[in-house]
Amino acid sequence: AAAATLSNELFIQSDRVAAFVLMGLQRWFMIAVLGLIFPFIIDGLSSYCFMLFAGVCLMGSLYTFFLLPETKGKTLVDISEEFKAIRVCGKSFLEEEKVETKL
């Protein structure tokens, strides 16, 4: 359900199917990797293995709370503009690079 909501809000209509498939593939790949390394995590951390997952959940929650804009009740154009305005490492996706060609 979360993947469907994410693909509905982040991608334009023509790209939603591809995004949904890629998110599904990524999810299954990560579940397979986790299944392969989990026995080693248990051996290494024993009863504290949940701390690794708690840390990942905390980082995801902080990312969602502080970086992602609210999308409830907004149009796809408004959402696209807000995502373009997000600054990553001091660079905004709103600023387009202009390329000039000389003949």
Side-chain angles (χ1 to χ4, degrees), residues 29-76:
F29 177 74
M30 294 308 295
I31 289 170
V33 169
L34 179 62
L36 291 173
I37 65 170
F38 192 67
F40 300 106
I41 293 172
I42 290 175
D43 287 342
L45 298 176
S46 65
S47 63
Y48 293 103
C49 66
F50 71 93
M51 294 299 284
L52 178 66
F53 300 104
V56 170
C57 289
L58 178 66
M59 288 189 307
S61 298
L62 293 174
Y63 173 78
T64 302
F65 186 75
F66 289 112
L67 294 178
L68 293 181
E70 177 61 48
T71 59
K72 184 177 180 180
K74 295 183 180 177
T75 65
L76 290 175

